[in-house]
């Protein structure tokens, strides 16, 4: 929508006539700036000291469209910036380890501090390694099979219990959840990995299993002992009877 006033002096739509006269304004052009969805995002106004020509009106219409696009792009960029800031805050403050890495090579793209703490490496040290190099050698193929299925589209994501290697050389049991990520400007496939250290839970479960197995073993030993005692008592009785007969 546009508004053109060819002779602004004395026009009832213009409230401050004194301002107009002091500045020698002759004409006015106003354009509503709209978004792609039709939402009003601003107004472009021009006060001119000479009459606005027909060719100038066409140029002003084009200029108002350009300004509207620039405003809309600026708002989109601001929205994107805020979204990225929120993601960065969530990423860094998460109570679990989080990393982004290229699926085919394992190259790290982003790592949060919790991920570093779990493995005992600094962020700089991890960026010199790859995601694949932090796995226990016996468990790496398990991870690679799942990643292959993810890249082939056979699964949407996966969650497994698997071992990492701490910088100290100790095994770390983790719950690893992996989901694919997509960005139009990035050609490589990459994914987000969420890592929770479950070493203590694993050790607790293992201790319970050992205690259970030990209890079963002790019960078996007791049963065998009772059988042996019963057998020995029977043998002694038979020997006593045999001696009495003689």
């Amino acid at each position: 929508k546009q508004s053109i006033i060819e002779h602004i002096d004395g026009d009832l739509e213009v409230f401050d006539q004194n301002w107009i006269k002091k500045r020698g304004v002759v004409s006015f052009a106003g354009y509503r700036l709209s978004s792609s969805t039709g939402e009003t995002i601003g107004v472009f106004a021009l006060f001119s000291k000479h009459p606005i020509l027909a060719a100038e009106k066409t140029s002003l219409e084009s200029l108002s469209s350009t300004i509207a696009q620039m405003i809309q792009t600026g708002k989109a960029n601001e929205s994107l910036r805020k979204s990225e800031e929120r993601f960065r805050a969530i990423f860094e403050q998460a109570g679990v380890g989080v990393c982004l890495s290229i699926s085919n090579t394992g190259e790290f793209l982003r790592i949060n501090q919790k991920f570093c703490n779990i493995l005992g490496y600094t962020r700089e040290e991890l960026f010199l390694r790859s995601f694949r190099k932090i796995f226990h050698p016996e468990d790496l193929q398990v991870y690679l099979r799942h990643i292959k299925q993810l890249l082939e589209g056979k699964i949407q994501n996966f969650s497994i219990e698997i071992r990492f290697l701490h910088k100290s050389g100790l095994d770390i049991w983790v719950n690893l959840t992996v989901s694919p990520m997509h960005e139009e400007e990035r050609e490589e496939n990459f994914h987000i990995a969420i890592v929770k250290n479950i070493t203590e839970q694993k050790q607790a479960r293992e201790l319970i299993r050992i205690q259970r197995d030990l209890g079963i073993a002790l019960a078996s030993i007791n049963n065998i002992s009772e059988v042996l005692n019963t057998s020995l008592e029977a043998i002694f009785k038979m020997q006593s009877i045999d001696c009495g007969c003689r």
Side-chain angles (χ1 to χ4, degrees):
K1 184 180 179 180
Q2 65 182 37
S3 175
I4 305 291
I5 302 176
E6 299 288 357
H7 302 286
I8 198 169
D9 185 20
D11 194 290
L12 296 178
E13 291 187 15
V14 180
F15 177 73
D16 194 346
Q17 287 290 326
N18 289 330
W19 184 87
I20 295 297
K21 291 176 180 178
K22 284 181 180 179
R23 285 160 179 76
V25 175
V26 174
S27 57
F28 166 84
Y31 298 85
R32 182 171 73 93
L33 305 178
S34 304
S35 68
S36 56
T37 58
E39 176 189 2
T40 298
I41 56 177
V43 174
F44 170 50
L46 173 70
F47 293 89
S48 176
K49 293 184 178 181
H50 62 80
I52 299 174
L53 304 176
E56 291 175 329
K57 293 177 184 177
T58 302
S59 297
L60 289 172
E61 288 179 10
S62 177
L63 179 59
S64 66
S65 297
T66 300
I67 294 172
Q69 290 174 3
M70 291 173 65
I71 293 174
Q72 191 169 6
T73 300
K75 287 186 174 182
N77 290 339
E78 178 65 14
S79 177
L80 178 61
R81 184 186 64 79
K82 289 182 178 180
S83 178
E84 289 176 346
E85 287 179 354
R86 285 194 296 269
F87 173 78
R88 190 179 299 109
I90 294 170
F91 187 91
E92 289 298 334
Q93 297 170 16
V96 292
V98 186
C99 74
L100 299 178
S101 68
I102 298 175
S103 303
N104 289 320
T105 64
E107 176 188 349
F108 284 115
L109 300 174
R110 181 176 287 183
I111 306 167
N112 77 346
Q113 187 57 47
K114 185 68 174 180
F115 189 87
C116 299
N117 296 343
I118 290 173
L119 289 161
Y121 289 98
T122 65
R123 207 181 303 248
E124 292 73 21
E125 288 173 329
L126 284 172
F127 276 124
L128 294 175
R129 303 174 70 82
S130 79
F131 193 48
R132 298 180 181 187
K133 289 184 178 180
I134 65 175
F135 285 90
H136 190 287
E138 295 177 5
D139 291 1
L140 177 59
Q141 291 304 317
V142 175
Y143 166 75
L144 292 178
R145 282 198 299 271
H146 281 82
I147 279 293
K148 185 173 183 292
Q149 290 179 319
L150 193 72
L151 291 173
E152 291 174 349
K154 294 179 179 179
I155 56 176
Q156 297 298 315
N157 51 61
F158 65 87
S159 183
I160 54 176
E161 291 186 358
I162 201 163
R163 286 174 295 176
F164 283 171
L165 282 179
H166 191 271
K167 184 179 179 180
S168 64
L170 295 176
D171 295 354
I172 307 171
W173 276 99
V174 300
N175 183 288
L176 172 65
T177 300
V178 175
S179 299
M181 299 283 285
H182 303 285
E183 285 185 359
E184 292 182 0
E185 64 272 16
R186 187 177 291 279
E187 295 181 0
E188 312 100 323
N189 292 309
F190 71 106
H191 63 258
I192 184 170
I194 299 173
V195 176
K196 182 180 181 181
N197 190 342
I198 59 170
T199 303
E200 291 184 0
Q201 294 94 311
K202 271 284 188 179
Q203 290 173 342
R205 288 201 294 265
E206 182 65 13
L207 180 59
I208 292 171
R209 184 191 67 78
I210 292 173
Q211 290 174 336
R212 184 184 66 246
D213 292 348
L214 183 59
I216 294 172
L218 289 174
S220 298
I221 291 172
N222 289 334
N223 290 335
I224 293 172
S225 178
E226 290 178 5
V227 171
L228 286 173
N229 288 335
T230 302
S231 299
L232 288 172
E233 288 176 3
I235 291 171
F236 290 144
K237 286 181 181 179
M238 290 178 64
Q239 287 178 345
S240 297
I241 293 171
D242 186 46
C243 291
C245 292
R246 290 179 183 180

